[in-house]
């Protein structure tokens, strides 16, 4: 994580690359993956620590810290106008937002408060499909936003809630298409290939 931040810092200071050249550049985003791996390691190897992180007393300060971080980022025009002028937005911001999310996850993963509402069918439906679509949304949202910015720049003059819906409905629709017609068929194909390979590796023994 430290190396990724130092690498981003050196790259930005040397080339003065804009925010967009960093946010979608895989080598500069490995810290986000490593923070997730670190949280998984805590969950597996330090169960008591993870349990403490899932408590409300840990979650509330984590929420306040994360909201404060987003507020500071929004003060930089949310990465639209001044992002390329700000060094921290192009460097430590990526690790900070990943760490902020990591601190929130134990509560949703392991909290008694979440268990109490898990019987709600509407919430279960919403969270289940949000988890199914999270990766397709991650893949397509920036490209959709760029297209919307290019062909519908007036969207930013709309009421914020309406603009949010208008920008994200195409994201969700395309994500559903990817999920049903790309993700699921290939998962099914993988399962079939694995099943065949297991049969070859472990042939059935005929009974005498």
């Amino acid at each position: 994580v430290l190396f990724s931040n130092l690498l981003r810092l050196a790259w930005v200071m040397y080339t003065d690359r804009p925010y967009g050249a960093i946010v979608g550049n895989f080598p500069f985003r490995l810290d986000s993956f490593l923070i997730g791996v670190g949280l998984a390691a805590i969950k597996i190897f330090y169960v008591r620590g993870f349990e403490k992180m899932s408590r409300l007393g840990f979650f509330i300060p984590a929420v306040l810290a994360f909201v404060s971080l987003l507020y500071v980022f929004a003060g930089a025009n949310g990465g639209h106008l001044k992002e390329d002028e700000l060094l921290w937005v192009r460097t430590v911001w990526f690790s900070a937002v990943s760490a902020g999310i990591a601190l929130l996850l134990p509560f949703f993963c392991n909290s008694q408060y979440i268990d109490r509402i898990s019987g709600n069918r509407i919430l279960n439906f919403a969270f289940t499909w949000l988890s199914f679509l999270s990766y397709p949304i991650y893949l397509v949202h920036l490209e959709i936003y760029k297209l919307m910015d290019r062909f519908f720049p007036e969207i930013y003059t709309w009421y914020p809630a309406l603009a949010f819906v208008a920008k994200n409905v195409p994201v969700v629709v395309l994500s559903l298409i990817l999920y049903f017609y790309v993700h699921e068929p290939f998962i099914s194909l993988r399962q079939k290939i694995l099943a065949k390979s297991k049969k070859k590796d472990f042939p059935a023994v005929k009974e005498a």
Side-chain angles (χ1 to χ4, degrees):
V1 173
L2 178 62
F3 176 76
S4 289
N5 279 278
L6 292 174
L7 185 64
R8 278 197 300 263
L9 178 63
W11 183 249
V12 170
M13 293 187 69
Y14 179 72
T15 65
D16 198 29
R17 293 289 177 135
Y19 176 87
I22 306 297
V23 69
N25 201 321
F26 178 77
F28 296 128
R29 301 301 309 281
L30 287 174
D31 53 315
S32 298
F33 293 96
L34 292 172
I35 289 171
V37 171
L39 182 64
I42 293 173
K43 186 176 189 295
I44 295 170
F45 300 112
Y46 189 45
V47 178
R48 291 182 62 186
F50 192 83
E51 191 275 330
K52 291 179 181 178
M53 293 174 68
S54 70
R55 295 175 184 174
L56 193 62
F58 184 92
F59 178 69
I60 291 176
V63 169
L64 293 175
F66 188 60
V67 170
S68 300
L69 177 66
L70 295 179
Y71 180 78
V72 172
F73 182 65
N77 291 316
H80 284 296
L81 299 178
K82 296 181 180 178
E83 61 189 3
D84 297 336
E85 302 171 17
L86 297 172
L87 185 64
W88 73 271
V89 170
R90 292 179 285 170
T91 53
V92 297
W93 156 255
F94 300 105
S95 287
V97 73
S98 296
I101 292 171
L103 294 177
L104 301 178
L105 287 178
F107 178 82
F108 294 102
C109 179
N110 211 26
S111 173
Q112 58 177 329
Y113 299 97
I114 297 298
D115 290 339
R116 290 175 187 173
I117 64 172
S118 61
N120 187 301
R121 294 178 63 185
I122 296 176
L123 287 176
N124 270 334
F125 178 85
F127 282 117
T128 298
W129 275 100
L130 182 61
S131 66
F132 285 160
L133 297 181
S134 60
Y135 191 64
I137 287 173
Y138 163 73
L139 290 176
V140 304
H141 76 283
L142 280 178
E143 298 306 319
I144 294 294
Y145 290 170
K146 288 177 183 177
L147 290 173
M148 296 292 283
D149 291 346
R150 179 178 178 182
F151 294 104
F152 303 101
E154 67 276 6
I155 198 170
Y156 291 104
T157 65
W158 298 359
Y159 187 73
L162 181 60
F164 177 84
V165 171
K167 289 186 72 173
N168 286 286
V169 165
V171 172
V172 173
V173 170
L174 184 55
S175 298
L176 283 167
I177 292 172
L178 284 175
Y179 179 80
F180 283 113
Y181 295 102
V182 179
H183 180 272
E184 285 299 284
F186 275 93
I187 292 295
S188 178
L189 178 62
R190 183 187 68 177
Q191 296 296 82
K192 291 178 182 178
I193 293 173
L194 287 175
K196 288 180 181 180
S197 65
K198 286 181 180 179
K199 287 181 180 179
K200 291 179 181 178
D201 294 337
F202 304 100
V205 178
K206 292 182 180 180
E207 292 184 3

